Amino acid sequence: MYNEVYKIKDTVDIFISENEQNSTVTLNFHIMTTRDRIEIKTNKHVARFIASFDGEKNLSEIVNEIGNLKSEDVTKLIEFLLNQHLIFNVAHPIHDDLRFSRQITFWDDFVLDRPGQETQAILENKKIVLFGCGAVGAKIIEILARAGVNHITLIDYKIMSEASAVRHNYYSYKRVGEPKVDVLSDFLARINKNIFIKKHFEKLMPDSDLSKLIPDDTDLIINTCDEPYIGHTSLKLGRYAQSKKIPLYVAGGFDAHLMSSGELINPPKTPCIDCAQNTFSRALKGWKPVYSMIENPRSFASTPVNVESNNYIPGGPGGLAIMSGFSASLCCMQLLHFLLDDTAFAYHNRRYEYLPNSGNMTQFELAKQDGCEICNG
């Protein structure tokens, strides 16, 4: 160990304050990426010792220069600083991948279970199934693809129209009239050359065989399919996901909740899909969903598709691209943390919503229902 060379991470700021009365020194480590703070109280020798980690001198040289340090104290201190990801061994750099270098640096601060490079590798091997390639769903899957997720399945039955230009991040006027799954797939492939994408150009129906759409080794199902109503599609997907022990994320950003997060359904750590739906049913008692409608939905099953002849009628309230982007980003902060297999990941049952007129962020708590065998078993 004494021949190793250590360096304070570039994402760590250290603030030092001295107490002259008792000759102690307080070191405050500020992790810039996560905004976490770690404080230790020590003496001047240890403070000088830590400040000497410049990535050039080895540990033996620093110890000889500082003096007054016991071998066992040095060992414990190095272990502490490494475990907290405050320093790193220059012989083992945090990352060697230029594309993901800044992200890996963040993972190294964010997930203390392992080095950032290993966390990135875990993320790249995750398998995601997305239902709905609309404004929110497409933005979510774009963020995950940019983060390095390499295995994605897309399910949607709609076609790209001129109206898609307002909110769809992957819109191209050259692709109007083509299935959204094809346009989005090509868009993602331009972001990540290593990505593997399966596409299903079909509508989620009550009698859809989900075993043909969702592989058994799926790590996460994301539902943004809000037609005819997000609650109905989530119930079908959620019950199937529970039978296969696959986590489900029901995204926000739909109907009147255009700037909201979603909820992760992974019982018994969270309420099951039925308990989540019951919570909403009680909260929205007396409210009836506005169904999005299309004429002749079965016609979307054939290709080529003609935009004008199908006469798609979009339902629901209007919105802005920034609203879809906000909802997707809010979703992905939780999704990415979940996908990293971090032991510090905290399950919570809250849905957040930003109110643009007031600037307030509200929250809604989902509850496990009494007597539910899935949630409380």
Side-chain angles (χ1 to χ4, degrees), residues 145-203:
R146 289 187 185 280
V149 173
N150 286 328
H151 305 276
I152 292 172
T153 299
L154 305 175
I155 300 106
D156 201 304
Y157 71 98
K158 292 184 183 177
I159 56 174
M160 184 67 71
S161 69
E162 291 185 358
S164 303
V166 177
R167 296 198 301 159
H168 289 55
N169 58 310
Y170 63 102
Y171 171 83
S172 169
Y173 72 90
K174 295 180 180 180
R175 306 294 296 272
V176 169
E178 297 183 40
K180 286 186 177 181
V181 289
D182 290 342
V183 183
L184 180 56
S185 176
D186 291 344
F187 175 78
L188 297 175
R190 291 195 297 272
I191 294 172
N192 183 354
K193 65 180 181 180
N194 298 319
I195 203 166
F196 177 77
I197 301 174
K198 293 181 181 178
K199 300 175 292 183
H200 297 279
F201 180 47
E202 61 181 271
K203 184 179 182 181

Side-chain angles (χ1 to χ4, degrees), residues 41-87:
K41 294 185 182 296
T42 184
N43 56 55
K44 293 182 180 180
H45 299 295
V46 172
R48 186 182 169 197
F49 174 68
I50 294 175
S52 300
F53 294 153
D54 57 4
E56 296 181 1
K57 301 175 185 176
N58 64 32
L59 193 58
S60 179
E61 292 173 324
I62 295 174
V63 170
N64 291 333
E65 182 179 299
I66 302 298
N68 298 312
L69 293 172
K70 296 180 180 179
S71 177
E72 58 269 25
D73 292 338
V74 170
T75 300
K76 290 180 180 179
L77 183 57
I78 293 297
E79 289 178 352
F80 170 79
L81 295 173
L82 287 172
N83 289 337
Q84 295 298 318
H85 292 206
L86 299 174
I87 64 172

Side-chain angles (χ1 to χ4, degrees), residues 108-265:
D108 200 69
D109 291 334
F110 191 59
V111 180
L112 300 184
D113 290 353
R114 65 188 80 88
Q117 192 80 36
E118 294 180 18
T119 297
Q120 179 64 32
I122 289 173
L123 181 63
E124 292 177 15
N125 287 318
K126 294 298 183 180
K127 298 178 176 63
I128 310 297
V129 174
L130 173 70
F131 282 85
C133 297
V136 176
K139 190 62 182 178
I140 289 175
I141 211 66
E142 178 198 344
I143 293 172
L144 296 182
R146 289 187 185 280
V149 173
N150 286 328
H151 305 276
I152 292 172
T153 299
L154 305 175
I155 300 106
D156 201 304
Y157 71 98
K158 292 184 183 177
I159 56 174
M160 184 67 71
S161 69
E162 291 185 358
S164 303
V166 177
R167 296 198 301 159
H168 289 55
N169 58 310
Y170 63 102
Y171 171 83
S172 169
Y173 72 90
K174 295 180 180 180
R175 306 294 296 272
V176 169
E178 297 183 40
K180 286 186 177 181
V181 289
D182 290 342
V183 183
L184 180 56
S185 176
D186 291 344
F187 175 78
L188 297 175
R190 291 195 297 272
I191 294 172
N192 183 354
K193 65 180 181 180
N194 298 319
I195 203 166
F196 177 77
I197 301 174
K198 293 181 181 178
K199 300 175 292 183
H200 297 279
F201 180 47
E202 61 181 271
K203 184 179 182 181
L204 179 62
M205 301 291 287
D207 59 351
S208 294
D209 185 353
L210 295 181
S211 66
K212 296 181 179 179
L213 302 176
I214 305 172
D216 287 342
D217 61 349
T218 297
D219 294 295
L220 179 68
I221 302 167
I222 302 172
N223 184 32
T224 67
C225 183
D226 59 353
E227 296 182 9
Y229 174 58
I230 189 76
H232 300 339
T233 59
S234 296
L235 200 59
K236 177 177 177 62
L237 293 175
R239 288 173 176 172
Y240 179 82
Q242 285 165 193
S243 71
K244 295 293 184 177
K245 300 188 183 304
I246 301 173
L248 167 71
Y249 191 85
V250 181
F254 58 88
D255 288 342
H257 309 283
L258 293 175
M259 300 185 76
S260 64
S261 67
E263 52 272 355
L264 181 63
I265 306 296

